[in-house]
Amino acid sequence: MTTLVCTTASKAAAPAAQTLPYPSFSSYVRARRPVLLRTARSLTGNPSDAEDLLQTALTKTYVAWERIEDHRALDGYVRRALLNTRTSQWRKRKVDEFACDELPEPEQCSGGGEDPAEQQALRDAMWRAIMRLPARQRAMVVLRYYEDLSEVQTAEVLGVSVGTVKSAVSRALGKLREDTELELVRR
């Protein structure tokens, strides 16, 4: 039995076949990309690295597309490619740690070499002292010194004049200087 073939139609379809040799691969990627990306994210922990990892694994899958016999097991194949690629990346990473005879001294804290526990106790005492301030003064101190706003910005946020901010902050700092709990912790 002979089959009639339209040569014009097959020539017109040929360029489309050349630009997209695996239309089933494209549909597979479109359908399964979100699931595979979640797997890649679980392997890397970073969304950008996960996208790179998935792209690399899909490239390996595309190259092997004709050799894959059972297309129902594609997810397993791609997951294995993800895992193998991630393992290779992990093995190739540069290690900047070198063994030495002496242990390096820890860097001194910004508090002048004080004990971190003492620094934390001072911070806690400071917050307790700030919480004892009147609400308006507390708000101004927090905006000025913890949020690092200028006097003008603090005045704008609170809807008061700059002079009000200056005087209230000055009174609040005076109260904090006289706070006995802070004085005990500083010693």
Side-chain angles (χ1 to χ4, degrees):
M1 177 173 172
T2 56
T3 308
L4 296 175
V5 177
C6 179
T7 57
T8 327
S10 62
K11 288 180 184 175
Q18 288 176 352
T19 58
L20 193 59
Y22 301 126
S24 59
F25 178 79
S26 298
S27 61
Y28 169 76
V29 170
R30 266 187 253 110
R32 301 300 295 165
R33 186 178 187 283
V35 173
L36 296 171
L37 187 58
R38 279 195 300 270
T39 302
R41 281 187 183 161
S42 69
L43 290 172
T44 62
N46 180 343
S48 299
D49 291 341
E51 289 177 7
D52 291 343
L53 178 64
L54 179 60
Q55 187 67 36
T56 304
L58 288 175
T59 302
K60 291 177 180 180
T61 304
Y62 180 81
V63 169
W65 192 258
E66 290 180 341
R67 294 189 315 257
I68 299 172
E69 295 175 10
D70 186 9
H71 283 259
R72 292 174 298 184
L74 281 173
D75 280 355
Y77 185 91
V78 176
R79 284 191 177 104
R80 176 49 65 182
L82 283 168
L83 186 61
N84 290 346
T85 303
R86 183 62 181 152
T87 302
S88 295
Q89 290 172 348
W90 177 80
R91 286 180 179 154
K92 290 178 186 176
R93 79 182 195 281
K94 183 179 176 183
V95 178
D96 289 333
E97 295 179 14
F98 302 101
C100 60
D101 293 334
E102 293 182 27
L103 291 176
E105 292 297 321
E107 294 182 24
Q108 294 297 325
C109 299
S110 61
E114 294 179 14
D115 182 24
E118 290 175 9
Q119 290 177 351
Q120 185 63 44
L122 181 60
R123 278 193 292 273
D124 291 344
M126 178 60 79
W127 272 112
R128 285 191 301 274
I130 288 173
M131 293 306 291
R132 287 191 295 271
L133 292 173
R136 188 171 167 169
Q137 288 179 357
R138 181 174 54 239
M140 291 181 191
V141 167
V142 169
L143 289 173
R144 278 289 288 130
Y145 297 104
Y146 285 93
E147 295 296 323
D148 202 26
L149 297 181
S150 68
E151 291 169 341
V152 174
Q153 292 169 325
T154 302
E156 288 175 4
V157 168
L158 296 175
V160 297
S161 69
V162 177
T164 303
V165 171
K166 288 181 180 181
S167 64
V169 168
S170 176
R171 282 192 302 273
L173 292 177
K175 288 180 182 179
L176 291 174
R177 282 186 200 103
E178 295 171 358
D179 193 304
T180 56
E181 184 182 344
L182 286 176
E183 202 170 301
L184 292 173
V185 175
R186 281 185 260 172
R187 288 183 190 176

Short mmCIF file of all heavy atoms in Angstrom, two decimals, residues 114-129 132 146 181-187:
data_model
loop_
_atom_site.label_atom_id
_atom_site.label_comp_id
_atom_site.label_asym_id
_atom_site.label_seq_id
_atom_site.Cartn_x
_atom_site.Cartn_y
_atom_site.Cartn_z
N GLU A 114 34.32 44.27 76.48
CA GLU A 114 33.49 43.83 77.60
C GLU A 114 32.91 42.45 77.31
O GLU A 114 32.82 42.02 76.17
CB GLU A 114 32.36 44.82 77.84
CG GLU A 114 32.81 46.19 78.30
CD GLU A 114 31.64 47.13 78.50
OE1 GLU A 114 30.49 46.66 78.54
OE2 GLU A 114 31.88 48.33 78.59
N ASP A 115 32.51 41.83 78.36
CA ASP A 115 31.87 40.53 78.27
C ASP A 115 30.53 40.68 77.54
O ASP A 115 29.74 41.58 77.86
CB ASP A 115 31.66 39.98 79.68
CG ASP A 115 31.04 38.60 79.69
OD1 ASP A 115 31.18 37.87 78.68
OD2 ASP A 115 30.42 38.25 80.70
N PRO A 116 30.22 39.83 76.56
CA PRO A 116 28.93 39.94 75.86
C PRO A 116 27.73 39.83 76.79
O PRO A 116 26.71 40.47 76.57
CB PRO A 116 28.96 38.76 74.87
CG PRO A 116 30.40 38.46 74.68
CD PRO A 116 31.08 38.82 75.97
N ALA A 117 27.85 39.06 77.86
CA ALA A 117 26.75 38.94 78.82
C ALA A 117 26.51 40.28 79.52
O ALA A 117 25.37 40.68 79.76
CB ALA A 117 27.03 37.85 79.83
N GLU A 118 27.60 40.98 79.84
CA GLU A 118 27.47 42.29 80.47
C GLU A 118 26.85 43.30 79.50
O GLU A 118 26.03 44.13 79.90
CB GLU A 118 28.84 42.79 80.95
CG GLU A 118 29.39 42.02 82.12
CD GLU A 118 30.79 42.47 82.49
OE1 GLU A 118 31.27 43.49 81.94
OE2 GLU A 118 31.42 41.82 83.33
N GLN A 119 27.25 43.23 78.24
CA GLN A 119 26.68 44.13 77.23
C GLN A 119 25.18 43.87 77.09
O GLN A 119 24.39 44.81 76.99
CB GLN A 119 27.37 43.93 75.88
CG GLN A 119 28.79 44.44 75.86
CD GLN A 119 29.46 44.17 74.53
OE1 GLN A 119 28.92 43.46 73.68
NE2 GLN A 119 30.63 44.74 74.35
N GLN A 120 24.79 42.60 77.11
CA GLN A 120 23.37 42.27 77.00
C GLN A 120 22.61 42.75 78.23
O GLN A 120 21.50 43.26 78.13
CB GLN A 120 23.17 40.76 76.81
CG GLN A 120 21.74 40.36 76.57
CD GLN A 120 21.17 40.96 75.29
OE1 GLN A 120 21.82 40.98 74.26
NE2 GLN A 120 19.96 41.49 75.35
N ALA A 121 23.20 42.62 79.40
CA ALA A 121 22.56 43.10 80.62
C ALA A 121 22.36 44.61 80.57
O ALA A 121 21.31 45.12 80.99
CB ALA A 121 23.39 42.71 81.84
N LEU A 122 23.36 45.33 80.04
CA LEU A 122 23.23 46.78 79.91
C LEU A 122 22.13 47.14 78.92
O LEU A 122 21.32 48.05 79.17
CB LEU A 122 24.57 47.39 79.49
CG LEU A 122 24.60 48.91 79.33
CD1 LEU A 122 24.24 49.59 80.65
CD2 LEU A 122 25.96 49.37 78.84
N ARG A 123 22.06 46.43 77.80
CA ARG A 123 20.99 46.69 76.81
C ARG A 123 19.62 46.43 77.41
O ARG A 123 18.69 47.21 77.21
CB ARG A 123 21.20 45.83 75.56
CG ARG A 123 22.20 46.41 74.58
CD ARG A 123 22.14 45.71 73.23
NE ARG A 123 22.59 44.33 73.28
CZ ARG A 123 23.84 43.94 73.15
NH1 ARG A 123 24.79 44.82 72.97
NH2 ARG A 123 24.16 42.66 73.19
N ASP A 124 19.50 45.34 78.15
CA ASP A 124 18.21 45.02 78.77
C ASP A 124 17.82 46.08 79.80
O ASP A 124 16.66 46.51 79.85
CB ASP A 124 18.27 43.64 79.45
CG ASP A 124 18.37 42.50 78.46
OD1 ASP A 124 18.11 42.73 77.26
OD2 ASP A 124 18.73 41.39 78.89
N ALA A 125 18.79 46.51 80.60
CA ALA A 125 18.51 47.55 81.59
C ALA A 125 18.12 48.85 80.90
O ALA A 125 17.23 49.58 81.36
CB ALA A 125 19.73 47.76 82.48
N MET A 126 18.78 49.17 79.78
CA MET A 126 18.45 50.39 79.04
C MET A 126 17.01 50.33 78.53
O MET A 126 16.27 51.30 78.65
CB MET A 126 19.44 50.57 77.87
CG MET A 126 19.15 51.79 77.02
SD MET A 126 19.22 53.34 77.93
CE MET A 126 20.97 53.58 78.00
N TRP A 127 16.60 49.19 77.98
CA TRP A 127 15.22 49.08 77.49
C TRP A 127 14.21 49.20 78.63
O TRP A 127 13.17 49.81 78.48
CB TRP A 127 15.01 47.77 76.73
CG TRP A 127 15.35 47.92 75.28
CD1 TRP A 127 16.39 47.34 74.63
CD2 TRP A 127 14.68 48.73 74.32
NE1 TRP A 127 16.41 47.75 73.31
CE2 TRP A 127 15.36 48.60 73.09
CE3 TRP A 127 13.57 49.57 74.36
CZ2 TRP A 127 14.97 49.25 71.94
CZ3 TRP A 127 13.18 50.22 73.19
CH2 TRP A 127 13.87 50.06 72.02
N ARG A 128 14.54 48.60 79.77
CA ARG A 128 13.63 48.73 80.91
C ARG A 128 13.52 50.19 81.35
O ARG A 128 12.44 50.68 81.66
CB ARG A 128 14.09 47.85 82.08
CG ARG A 128 13.82 46.37 81.87
CD ARG A 128 14.04 45.56 83.14
NE ARG A 128 15.39 45.68 83.67
CZ ARG A 128 16.42 44.91 83.29
NH1 ARG A 128 16.23 43.97 82.38
NH2 ARG A 128 17.61 45.07 83.83
N ALA A 129 14.66 50.91 81.34
CA ALA A 129 14.65 52.33 81.71
C ALA A 129 13.87 53.14 80.69
O ALA A 129 13.11 54.05 81.05
CB ALA A 129 16.08 52.85 81.84
N ARG A 132 10.21 52.92 81.21
CA ARG A 132 9.70 53.69 82.35
C ARG A 132 9.48 55.16 82.00
O ARG A 132 8.87 55.90 82.77
CB ARG A 132 10.66 53.56 83.53
CG ARG A 132 10.60 52.20 84.20
CD ARG A 132 11.35 52.18 85.52
NE ARG A 132 12.78 52.40 85.37
CZ ARG A 132 13.67 51.44 85.18
NH1 ARG A 132 13.27 50.17 85.08
NH2 ARG A 132 14.95 51.71 85.07
N TYR A 146 17.21 54.99 68.26
CA TYR A 146 17.14 53.60 67.79
C TYR A 146 16.78 53.54 66.32
O TYR A 146 17.26 52.67 65.60
CB TYR A 146 16.16 52.78 68.65
CG TYR A 146 16.74 52.44 69.99
CD1 TYR A 146 16.52 53.25 71.09
CD2 TYR A 146 17.54 51.32 70.15
CE1 TYR A 146 17.07 52.96 72.32
CE2 TYR A 146 18.10 51.02 71.38
CZ TYR A 146 17.86 51.84 72.46
OH TYR A 146 18.42 51.54 73.67
N GLU A 181 19.04 52.00 88.22
CA GLU A 181 19.26 50.65 87.68
C GLU A 181 20.36 50.67 86.62
O GLU A 181 21.22 49.78 86.60
CB GLU A 181 17.97 50.09 87.08
CG GLU A 181 18.12 48.65 86.61
CD GLU A 181 16.86 48.09 85.97
OE1 GLU A 181 15.79 48.67 86.16
OE2 GLU A 181 16.99 47.07 85.28
N LEU A 182 20.36 51.69 85.77
CA LEU A 182 21.43 51.79 84.75
C LEU A 182 22.77 52.04 85.40
O LEU A 182 23.79 51.52 84.94
CB LEU A 182 21.10 52.92 83.76
CG LEU A 182 19.99 52.64 82.75
CD1 LEU A 182 19.72 53.88 81.91
CD2 LEU A 182 20.38 51.48 81.85
N GLU A 183 22.76 52.82 86.46
CA GLU A 183 24.02 53.12 87.14
C GLU A 183 24.61 51.85 87.76
O GLU A 183 25.82 51.64 87.71
CB GLU A 183 23.76 54.16 88.23
CG GLU A 183 24.99 54.92 88.63
CD GLU A 183 24.65 56.09 89.53
OE1 GLU A 183 23.87 56.97 89.10
OE2 GLU A 183 25.14 56.09 90.67
N LEU A 184 23.77 50.99 88.30
CA LEU A 184 24.25 49.74 88.89
C LEU A 184 24.82 48.80 87.84
O LEU A 184 25.82 48.11 88.08
CB LEU A 184 23.12 49.03 89.65
CG LEU A 184 22.63 49.73 90.92
CD1 LEU A 184 21.40 49.01 91.45
CD2 LEU A 184 23.73 49.77 91.96
N VAL A 185 24.20 48.75 86.67
CA VAL A 185 24.66 47.85 85.62
C VAL A 185 25.96 48.35 85.00
O VAL A 185 26.84 47.56 84.62
CB VAL A 185 23.56 47.71 84.53
CG1 VAL A 185 24.06 46.87 83.37
CG2 VAL A 185 22.34 47.09 85.13
N ARG A 186 26.15 49.66 84.91
CA ARG A 186 27.36 50.23 84.30
C ARG A 186 28.60 49.99 85.14
O ARG A 186 29.69 50.08 84.64
CB ARG A 186 27.16 51.73 84.08
CG ARG A 186 26.33 52.03 82.84
CD ARG A 186 26.29 53.49 82.62
NE ARG A 186 24.99 53.93 83.15
CZ ARG A 186 24.63 55.17 83.28
NH1 ARG A 186 25.44 56.14 82.98
NH2 ARG A 186 23.44 55.47 83.74
N ARG A 187 28.47 49.73 86.41
CA ARG A 187 29.65 49.59 87.29
C ARG A 187 30.36 48.31 87.07
O ARG A 187 30.05 47.32 86.69
CB ARG A 187 29.21 49.68 88.75
CG ARG A 187 28.83 51.06 89.12
CD ARG A 187 28.49 51.12 90.57
NE ARG A 187 27.90 52.43 90.86
CZ ARG A 187 27.43 52.77 92.01
NH1 ARG A 187 27.46 51.93 93.01
NH2 ARG A 187 26.93 53.95 92.21
#
